[in-house]
Amino acid sequence: MAPPSGQIRPGRYLAFFVFIVVLLYTLVFATGDHQAKPKLGIDLQGGTRVTLSARTLDGGTPERESLQQARQIIENRVNGIGVSGTEVVLDGSNIVITVPGDQGEQAKELGQTAQLRFREVVQVVPAETPPAQQPPASEDPGATPPPSTGASTPPTGASTPPTGTSNAPQGRPAPAVAAQPEEEPSQPPTSDPPADDTADDESETAKQIQEAKAVRQAATLVPSEDGTVQADPAAQQAALAALDCSKPDPLVGNDDPDLPLVACDQEGTAKYILTPSFLQGTQISDANSSVNPEGVGYVVTLDFKSEGTRIWADYTTANVGKQAAFVLDTQVVSAPEIREPISGGQTQISGGAGGGFSADEAQSLADILKYGSLPLSFDNSEAETVSATLGLASLEAGLIAGAVGLVLVFLYSIFYYRMLGVLTGLSIVLSGVIVYAVLVLLGRWIGFTLDLAGVAGFIVAIGITADSFVVYFERLKDEMREGRTFRSAVPRAWVRARRTILSADAVMFLAAAVLYVLAVGQVKGFAFTLGMSTVLDLIVVFFVTHPLVALAAKSKFLSSPKMSGLGKVRRTGGSRAETRGRAATKEA
């Protein structure tokens, strides 16, 4: 037989709450790293802040839409790499990435433009030797083998390096004549008087890009497709001489895919003359890293979309024996020889002359290629280490203030409610037990990190939890003022207080949800913890506070006026009941 409305079996409710606590802490200690520690944000544990400065080809201000798109792509890369607690926000024309802990090196790579293009290799020479001193390819075809042969393409092929270059120039100009004109324009800025310090940096960047394109992307670097125009050896040698592999490349993210390109490999040990791009990296459908099955290190495996698969199959069929360079942001990642047509399946990229990437390099490249190229190019990342000293000091001050506030609340509750005040303190402690376990699990499952804003959300939520107790206890006092005993007042007070508690928590949760959707940055953490604490407040009130009050009502000792603190309310309620009885007698 079910109990009357408002009456419950307290033992069942408390047992269910104990089950929840045991389940949560079993997951805490049995999963993940088995450490009961929540993940902390950058303001509590320190970390790295990386600033990416956007740039455009003409040196103008980037469009807001392009910046938003770049921010979203970088955020997707963060999620793919698994860097937890990271913030990606716009600051003018900059994108600021904040990474807690020791994951700053990963964040520096998130701003790569990742414009992968496939180009045919025309010529390759060592970077450390001036091009004018190289013998013509017709005299010694095996003297300049490509230093980065990459993984085989397809993966099952043999790893035979190419023996020469297919379209090497036959002549060479004198080095002083070929190289000097290209270097002269770059000399005045370094020797000008301090007046040049006021020049526009963006204009200077645009000038460098245009100068590099004019030399290293000249149309005469390679023969025309129809064979009517031959390559200009002088232009080739001038472009090779102008390229310095030890310096940052101004063409990163700004090269024209429809023009030839002179580029370095990633190690800076070789220079390549490449044809216009025949396949774009946007045709990649998936990218993953794995152990190199035919050598040392790791490789990146690419899957193409339907159109990309067709283009790649046609190219490999018509160019067996030639090299195809995988060019990432104007750097040759790998230049393997095509040993047989690839009609479908996967293609591998390996890095460097050693035949493979490291595990971190392969995973980073795969993630960048998988989550798309940025619509803008960015200057080199500027990273700064953020100390947690200030955040920890603020946290310590906040915890001290919160502890003092809780002690005052407990003292006032005990003074005003006595035994009910003790139940209030116990309920808040048990609420903290659940909150801590949930924080640890959310940090593992969804990467939630606790920062100062989140701590503020929890402190505010304590007031919401205490307010629920006050609503219940005051309703209980109202019932006793009507002349009911403590035991009979508990179920009736709960029925009426329950509606108020649910309504108040629903409004608070709705406000937290709206704030979470509309807010950015740390405000989201405040909204999240506030909403989560509101939900956990209902669990504590329903499965702890109400059952404990019901148990106290059944105990003669705990329900005595001296212990409950409701003796004055009882006397007032009894006097009012007696007065109403006398009034009714007189009327009769």
Side-chain angles (χ1 to χ4, degrees), residues 120-155:
E120 183 180 324
V121 176
V122 175
Q123 184 183 7
V124 55
V125 299
E128 62 272 14
T129 305
Q133 298 178 7
Q134 297 298 316
S138 58
E139 298 176 7
D140 187 7
T144 57
S148 179
T149 58
S152 59
T153 315

Side-chain angles (χ1 to χ4, degrees), residues 424-487:
T424 299
L426 179 60
S427 298
I428 292 179
V429 170
L430 294 177
S431 177
V433 170
I434 292 185
V435 166
Y436 189 84
V438 171
L439 278 179
V440 175
L441 294 176
L442 289 180
R444 295 176 186 172
W445 295 342
I446 65 173
F448 175 77
T449 57
L450 180 64
D451 52 18
L452 288 175
V455 173
F458 283 126
I459 293 176
V460 173
I462 292 175
I464 299 174
T465 303
D467 183 65
S468 299
F469 303 150
V470 172
V471 169
Y472 183 24
F473 298 158
E474 289 300 318
R475 177 62 67 178
L476 179 62
K477 292 170 67 175
D478 288 342
E479 292 295 330
M480 295 186 66
R481 289 191 183 99
E482 297 295 329
R484 295 180 179 86
T485 63
F486 184 19
R487 184 167 184 172

Side-chain angles (χ1 to χ4, degrees), residues 157-175:
S159 57
T160 304
T163 58
T165 54
S166 57
N167 294 306
Q170 300 300 315
R172 65 186 181 204

Side-chain angles (χ1 to χ4, degrees), residues 343-362:
S343 58
Q346 297 177 327
T347 300
Q348 290 180 349
I349 302 178
S350 65
F357 297 103
S358 67
D360 292 339
E361 290 172 342

Side-chain angles (χ1 to χ4, degrees), residues 90 92 103 200 255 303 366 413 417 437 471 525 574:
L90 285 178
Q103 298 171 309
D200 189 356
D255 60 308
D303 290 308
S413 298
Y417 292 114
V471 169

Side-chain angles (χ1 to χ4, degrees), residues 4 32 125 127 206 248 272 334 358 371 385 456 470 478 548 583:
V125 299
Y272 290 80
S334 182
S358 67
Y371 294 106
T385 301
V470 172
D478 288 342
L548 288 178

